[in-house]
Amino acid sequence: MSKRIDVNDLNVYYGDFLAVEGVNMVIEARSVTALIGPSGCGKSTFLRTLNRMHEVIPKAYVTGKAVMDGQDLYGPGVDPVEVRRQVGMVFQRPNPFPTMSIADNVLAGVRLNNRRISRSDATDLVERSLTGANLWNEVKDRLDRPGSSLSGGQQQRLCIARAIAVEPQVLLMDEPCSALDPISTLAIEDLIAELKNNYTIVIVTHNMQQAARVSDRTGFFNIAGTGKPGHLIEMDDTTTMFSTPSVKATEDYISGRFG
Amino acid sequence: MSVTTPPVPVRTTRRLPRWAPIPVLVASLLLAAGIQFLGDGPTIAGVFFIGAILFGIIMTVTSRVVEGERYAKDRLATTLVTFAFLLALIPLVSLLWIVIRDGVKRFSWEFLTTDMTGIYGQMVEGGAFHAIIGTVYVTGIASIIAIPLGIFTAIYLVEYGRGPLSRGITVLVDVMTGIPSIVAGLFAFTLFLVIVGPAYKSALIGGIALAVLMTPVVVRSVEEMLRLVPNELREASYALGVPKWLTIVKVVLRTAIAGITTGVMIAIARVIGETAPLLLTVGIATAVNWDAFDGRIATLPVFVYRQYAQGGASADRAWAAALTLIIIVMLLNLVARLVSRYFSPKGAR
Ligand SMILES: Nc1ncnc2c1ncn2[C@@H]1O[C@H](COP(=O)(O)OP(=O)(O)OP(=O)(O)O)[C@@H](O)[C@H]1O
Ligand SMILES: [Mg+2]
């Protein structure tokens, strides 16, 4: 039940500023796609176009196509809310709801949408999602404590639990491990490996080893200079990208000889 | 790279003992009294002011000598801040003191439950029941109009408003905040004069006058509160496929509810004591008027004004009514505090 996304000649703007230009990319179903590149090259910006989160920023817009299951996400009559229900997202910074308990944060996708759920289903969903995000053992005794009482890394895993609780088709992750310790990072990577059986996953990371470990395909973004738009330089199977990339810039970046 | 400066050990400073300010304060006050004996004799205000200045000087100089420059500045700043705080407290405490002292003379259950029917001259009976009912009516009508209007306007400005329309509304709200209350009274008065005719008086007119005053206050404070809600929370909600309106209701308003309650309470407190527009619109009455839509109605501020103007036994009623008004405002405040305590975001802090 996961889906493939075909991105076609996508340009992403912030008002007059063209942030990312001319992206063509295939995101395969049931696989992990990693996006790498230097800071400010537009990885987050591009990622946010895949669930139409980009346009919540005033004056921001997108041209081009992103086709999921034969349906252009930016086609006329497509409801961004519907898109976001299918394409979930984990943000760079953890953002649990401060007014909700840990359990309610996990159930947020259900509760905020006014959907009814029986008490036992809710308990199951909370346990399943938290176990999936490798957080269950740490919080099972204090599910009714506020979500913001957790540590930064725990909050990030809570946000992952919250995202997988609504069972999206595609899961976008923007540097999900940048606030985590190696153990939680490993847990998230295991989780990603497990999730890819059911979901399509796109992950942005600054960690080359992580990209090499978890992803099936890797895309390299780069930027010519400040004020210039970011471009997708190269995209290929991860093994190829990390052994014999076809563009010099990719090789330089991956081997740390950047700039 | 080599280290060029030799490492400096962490220095320890000689400090004044913790209790040092107390004898200095006593000495300053005594000195201030002494100085004044040379003149016309000490007064409370004089001892307080001169003593505070002396305390600031002595404390700073001693600290400069014993503890060094940075601590001396700290002492000086602490003295200034504390002094300013005490100064600000004086009018507040003395006002409360006077209202309570003069108010308790006539304040009683009977005062709260009887009206002024058949009371004249120097009779000491009678009470403010009719005025309490009137104040509840008028403020209630104002709140029913102004709170939703203000909250919805603030939501529009923060969540939807873009471009000239929202800028225009912001400017208008700012202008409205500065409207003198008598103008709001005249506005409501004229409005009903045009619509209903000259003979009509009711709590409704007063409510509308107060709503005009209250709305901009509600808009402003709710707007501030909504802007404090981090954008990340809205995005987190959107990313879960929650539509915008549900995000506003269940995330933005829910997160800001504590601040919104406080803002609304401040707005109510702002209008509950308004006198001028009510004198103009709802008039004066001596008996309870249960009909909010017809007839004159008494209100607490107007009651205070009238009774005080009459003097004698009536002045005591004015104080008691003023006390009643303050108690009502304090009760509202208490409720607001409980609500914010209950709803405010809970965290590790
Ligand atoms: N809200 C915004 N408004 C205007 N410009 C923005 C906004 N957000 C990002 N940008 C610009 O878009 C470009 C790409 O930013 P983006 O956040 O996508 O970079 P990134 O690749 O995710 O970087 P990092 O690795 O540091 O997270 C940058 O030049 C940035 O200044
Ligand atoms: Mg980023």
Side-chain angles (χ1 to χ4, degrees):
Chain A
M1 56 169 223
S2 63
K3 291 180 177 172
R4 155 191 164 127
I5 303 179
D6 291 283
V7 179
N8 242 311
D9 208 15
L10 200 77
N11 298 313
V12 194
Y13 296 84
Y14 288 104
D16 298 332
F17 175 57
L18 176 58
V20 181
E21 187 179 30
V23 176
N24 289 290
M25 175 186 286
V26 176
I27 295 164
E28 299 286 357
R30 289 165 203 274
S31 75
V32 179
T33 305
L35 303 179
I36 59 173
S39 187
C41 67
K43 305 177 297 294
S44 303
T45 304
F46 171 74
L47 194 71
R48 288 165 57 96
T49 61
L50 296 178
N51 66 343
R52 297 193 64 167
M53 280 299 287
H54 179 66
E55 64 205 55
V56 306
I57 295 167
K59 299 215 178 86
Y61 66 99
V62 175
T63 63
K65 277 186 170 181
V67 180
M68 182 167 89
D69 254 13
Q71 171 66 58
D72 182 8
L73 299 181
Y74 286 91
V78 174
D79 182 359
V81 172
E82 279 307 315
V83 174
R84 292 178 201 137
R85 281 182 188 163
Q86 311 249 332
V87 186
M89 178 154 198
V90 177
F91 293 82
Q92 200 162 342
R93 278 196 287 168
N95 52 2
F97 295 113
T99 52
M100 297 185 191
S101 68
I102 293 173
D104 283 340
N105 260 290
V106 177
L107 295 172
V110 179
R111 291 267 160 82
L112 292 178
N113 274 314
N114 281 340
R115 251 178 280 140
R116 305 224 158 272
I117 182 168
S118 75
R119 196 171 269 269
S120 62
D121 285 354
T123 323
D124 281 354
L125 183 60
V126 169
E127 176 164 359
R128 199 152 22 91
S129 309
L130 285 172
T131 312
N134 190 35
L135 187 61
W136 174 249
N137 284 325
E138 283 156 75
V139 302
K140 63 179 177 224
D141 304 320
R142 44 171 173 160
L143 289 173
D144 51 356
R145 298 271 298 127
S148 44
S149 68
L150 297 174
S151 80
Q154 291 172 326
Q155 289 187 18
Q156 186 64 306
R157 279 176 284 156
L158 179 61
C159 293
I160 294 175
R162 180 176 71 186
I164 58 180
V166 294
E167 303 189 335
Q169 311 284 313
V170 180
L171 192 58
L172 310 176
M173 299 175 137
D174 193 353
E175 297 182 39
C177 301
S178 58
L180 298 189
D181 67 307
I183 298 172
S184 308
T185 303
L186 214 63
I188 300 298
E189 287 178 10
D190 289 347
L191 169 68
I192 291 172
E194 206 175 295
L195 289 176
K196 99 177 172 184
N197 298 324
N198 296 316
Y199 304 97
T200 305
I201 293 175
V202 186
I203 176 172
V204 172
T205 177
H206 279 297
N207 183 334
M208 297 304 137
Q209 287 79 25
Q210 182 169 61
R213 278 195 301 264
V214 300
S215 72
D216 302 301
R217 286 171 64 78
T218 300
F220 172 59
F221 278 84
N222 204 351
I223 186 169
T226 43
K228 305 250 173 57
H231 288 270
L232 176 63
I233 302 295
E234 183 178 2
M235 178 148 191
D236 213 326
D237 286 343
T238 300
T239 41
T240 319
M241 285 286 279
F242 278 83
S243 54
T244 51
S246 55
V247 182
K248 179 82 167 50
T250 316
E251 195 183 336
D252 287 350
Y253 183 77
I254 288 175
S255 57
R257 267 178 282 130
F258 188 82
Chain B
M1 227 180 85
S2 64
V3 180
T4 49
T5 49
V8 183
V10 177
R11 280 174 300 175
T12 52
T13 328
R14 224 165 10 134
R15 299 295 316 266
L16 288 171
R18 283 185 64 89
W19 45 263
I22 298 169
V24 176
L25 181 64
V26 174
S28 313
L29 291 176
L30 288 176
L31 198 57
I35 291 174
Q36 291 203 303
F37 268 118
L38 302 178
D40 307 337
T43 61
I44 293 181
V47 168
F48 181 76
F49 274 96
I50 300 178
I53 293 168
L54 285 175
F55 176 80
I57 295 172
I58 299 174
M59 207 59 222
T60 311
V61 171
T62 331
S63 163
R64 177 77 184 78
V65 173
V66 180
E67 299 177 313
E69 172 121 22
R70 195 163 60 82
Y71 285 106
K73 282 181 187 158
D74 179 40
R75 299 266 186 199
L76 181 62
T78 312
T79 313
L80 288 177
V81 170
T82 315
F83 187 56
F85 166 70
L86 291 177
L87 211 57
L89 222 54
I90 292 172
L92 189 68
V93 171
S94 69
L95 181 141
L96 268 183
W97 165 243
I98 292 174
V99 172
I100 292 173
R101 187 193 60 195
D102 292 348
V104 288
K105 276 187 228 155
R106 284 284 288 112
F107 189 80
S108 63
W109 182 246
E110 194 220 322
F111 178 78
L112 294 177
T113 49
T114 54
D115 59 21
M116 292 292 286
T117 328
I119 307 289
Y120 56 87
Q122 290 301 310
M123 287 172 71
V124 294
E125 292 85 4
F129 182 56
H130 59 312
I132 295 173
I133 297 297
T135 285
V136 169
Y137 272 17
V138 173
T139 317
I141 292 172
S143 303
I144 289 171
I145 300 170
I147 293 174
L149 195 62
I151 290 181
F152 283 126
T153 309
I155 290 177
Y156 173 79
L157 288 178
V158 176
E159 304 290 336
Y160 294 94
R162 307 255 178 273
L165 179 57
S166 85
R167 272 198 300 280
I169 294 177
T170 310
V171 170
L172 283 181
V173 168
D174 282 347
V175 171
M176 267 176 86
T177 319
I179 287 184
S181 55
I182 188 74
V183 176
L186 280 172
F187 162 76
F189 181 74
T190 329
L191 183 71
F192 278 83
L193 194 68
V194 173
I195 299 177
V196 197
Y200 183 69
K201 285 224 168 193
S202 79
L204 183 62
I205 312 182
I208 287 185
L210 294 192
V212 171
L213 292 170
M214 194 172 161
T215 310
V217 184
V218 176
V219 174
R220 275 268 99 131
S221 50
V222 174
E223 196 188 337
E224 297 296 320
M225 288 306 144
L226 296 186
R227 289 201 197 281
L228 282 181
V229 176
N231 232 345
E232 274 115 56
L233 297 184
R234 297 186 179 90
E235 296 202 335
S237 175
Y238 294 148
L240 291 168
V242 182
K244 183 161 185 168
W245 73 275
L246 272 175
T247 301
I248 292 171
V249 174
K250 294 190 145 189
V251 176
V252 180
L253 288 181
R254 177 63 188 79
T255 309
I257 188 86
I260 292 176
T261 320
T262 317
V264 165
M265 282 308 154
I266 290 172
I268 293 179
R270 156 99 168 69
V271 299
I272 202 169
E274 278 297 345
T275 319
L278 295 183
L279 209 51
L280 201 69
T281 50
V282 300
I284 297 153
T286 50
V288 179
N289 175 2
W290 290 107
D291 188 350
F293 300 102
D294 189 30
R296 297 162 183 280
I297 193 161
T299 51
L300 277 170
V302 176
F303 181 78
V304 171
Y305 168 76
R306 286 287 294 172
Q307 297 295 314
Y308 195 78
Q310 282 167 13
S314 299
D316 288 343
R317 276 195 289 266
W319 285 111
L323 181 61
T324 315
L325 195 55
I326 289 183
I327 291 174
I328 293 178
V329 171
M330 284 191 166
L331 282 178
L332 283 175
N333 243 307
L334 195 72
V335 173
R337 276 183 181 275
L338 289 178
V339 171
S340 0
R341 164 96 39 105
Y342 181 73
F343 279 114
S344 60
K346 294 158 196 80
R349 282 142 298 168

